[in-house]
Amino acid sequence: MTLISAFKPPSTRPGSLRHRSIQLRRRKNRTSDAPPNPNAINEDDEEEADHSSIRPSKHTPRPLQLLKGSVAAGGPLRPFRLLRQDLQSLGKRYVSDWTVFNQLVFASAVYVFFTNLLPGITFASDLFSIQPLTILGVTGPFSVLAENIYSLCTNSFNVPFLPFMAWSLIHAGWMHYVLAIINAHDYTMRYVTTFSTEIFSLLNSIIYFHKAIQELQRAHATLSFAAFLYAIIGAVGTFLVAIFLSTAESWKPLFHRYVRMGLTEYAAAISIIIFIGLPHVGDLANLDRSALSVSTSFRPTSPEREVFFVQFWQLPLTWVFAAIIPGLIITILFFFDHEVSSIICTIDRYGTRKPGGFAWDVILLGTTTALCGILGLPPANGLLPQAPLHSESLMHVEREEVIVTVDGEEKSEGREVKRVYEQRWSSFLHAGAILAFVAPPLQRVLGLTPTSVLAGLFLFMGEQSLSVNPILYRTFYLLTPPTSLPALPAAIPSYAGVHLYTLLQILVTVVIFIVTLTQGAPAFPVLIIALVPLRLLVMRRWLGRETLRFVDAWACRVGGPEDEGEDGGEGSEGDGGERGGVGERGEDRVGV
């Protein structure tokens, strides 16, 4: 019976008129000679009863049944489900996050401070976020996006940039709220694999290198030839000294252990301080130089602004609604960037044990994004590579007791494991220091920083991001003779598929970076999202199943797409299959 006929009165249904009369004649012919059975069920009455009422379980359309199940208690679309879980997790861990403080935590705060000079508006997020290991800052991709929005506003739209950007960020703020309420993490990031996250990390590295080159180009345009040569020396020197000192732990037996540890933990800070002071020594003090532009009073740096609040209410209504489009693009970028940062800084190798969360952090991110728009500040979100480097700087060795079974007997034995200090002090101190440097007296200290040091810092951050990216190691495999390559699993005949996978990642990254240099740059976050269906729907036709299983995995749950196709999708349903990092098979993948 069709859905439409089911809702007609019983007397007018086709099945109850023409077809029923034929069935009645057949039944009479079959039962006319048989004695009546008082216990027999009247089929006519049963059929009439079936059609006299509409049973939802039978007649409700399949999509409505699925929707009802999704929004039921525990369903993936149940509003506020992840928010409730995150708030419970925050209550479980918040007090203990403040009980850990030592020299390594302080060194981590100094390291993050010198590599992350960002607006103090992120202070609140460091205090109340679920995952304090995630570092917030103004990312390279957003800088590219903002530059292109500014160009469109001034050259094409002829609208004021700050009010338009304010509305874009306000729209992005409420969109973040919507994503958190509808549990977007569960049905978006669960389909993201390391194919996409590695490309995004490589794109960040390239953008950092490009920013360093842009700083040197500005120096070339404004400085004398001698000063420009020193700017190159300052940038490369800041970069190389930071890299060199970061390896001090391996200098054994040179220096005392604590000296080597201090040089390693404060490598970036030492390098930056050296090259800030060097231009003031000897004849170098006579060179002209370009330094960071800072304010000498507590007021907006733009001469056109007298108050901190952007007068966003003066933007014409048409452009208020038009700002929804860049707001959506910013939301896509921030959601993906922040989620990836949170995942990478809590992968298995960091040994995190406290409960994490995503929805509550997205709520905080939406709040700070809207506030930054109103105040005319660049918004901050999860930073790569600072977030995973923050976890690296907090790594330490712990000794734990484990129970093992030997010859049927349980024995306790100790083993050393590496873990991070899961605490809030490092994020709190670095954000507090940045907030202090907003004050005019300390801003003058920042004004002593040459832009060449900033270029060197960009080079350092790009290198740090690239050094932990598996694409780099697989690129080395491209240049390695086949006889010297590590052995592959028996199911993979050669490295051809692995090399093709790596080349495709590099090609896609280059294409996206080129897009960021064109007028189509504001749409590049959409290309990042498009990598997900490219990996899941297209690449499995190009590369073998075993090759993809070897090089790729889910970004935030156990296993990979190829595993699910084989075992029926174990770990794909419910929260049990989710985790805070890459798949547990991550150590078997190339370059990890």
Side-chain angles (χ1 to χ4, degrees), residues 30 151 309 377 409 469 483:
R30 289 198 306 266
S151 177
F309 290 96
L377 297 172
E409 296 183 3
N469 195 324
T483 55

Side-chain angles (χ1 to χ4, degrees), residues 3 35 95 158 218 275 311 337 375 407 465 487 508 560 566 577:
L3 179 64
V95 175
N158 293 321
R218 295 189 188 101
F275 283 91
Q311 297 177 350
D337 199 350
L375 295 175
D407 297 331
S465 176
V508 169
E566 219 173 60

Side-chain angles (χ1 to χ4, degrees), residues 137-205:
V138 182
T139 63
F142 176 78
S143 299
V144 172
L145 183 61
E147 289 173 2
N148 283 271
I149 293 176
Y150 176 80
S151 177
L152 289 173
C153 287
T154 56
N155 300 330
S156 301
F157 300 156
N158 293 321
V159 296
F161 167 69
L162 283 178
F164 184 80
M165 178 57 80
W167 275 110
S168 300
L169 296 178
I170 291 171
H171 289 313
W174 66 257
M175 289 180 189
H176 279 75
Y177 276 60
V178 172
L179 290 176
I181 291 172
I182 65 175
N183 316 307
H185 169 79
D186 273 359
Y187 48 90
T188 54
M189 295 305 296
R190 69 182 298 108
Y191 298 109
V192 175
T193 69
T194 55
F195 171 78
S196 303
T197 59
E198 290 168 2
I199 289 176
F200 190 69
S201 179
L202 180 59
L203 178 65
N204 273 275
S205 300

Side-chain angles (χ1 to χ4, degrees), residues 10 50 58 115 119 127 132 146 209 233 260 282 307 333 376 448 453 539 575:
D50 286 343
K58 181 177 180 181
T115 58
L127 277 176
F209 293 140
I233 295 173
R260 297 196 305 271
V307 294
L333 175 63
L448 300 175
V453 172
M539 288 185 59
D575 294 334

Side-chain angles (χ1 to χ4, degrees), residues 455-505:
L457 183 59
F458 286 150
L459 291 174
F460 176 70
M461 301 312 300
E463 186 276 337
Q464 293 287 286
S465 176
L466 185 62
S467 65
V468 296
N469 195 324
I471 296 178
L472 176 66
Y473 301 99
R474 290 198 296 268
T475 302
F476 291 156
Y477 289 164
L478 285 169
L479 307 175
T480 304
T483 55
S484 302
L485 290 172
L488 289 170
I492 303 178
S494 69
Y495 265 90
V498 176
H499 294 336
L500 179 60
Y501 180 88
T502 305
L503 289 173
L504 181 61
Q505 284 185 304

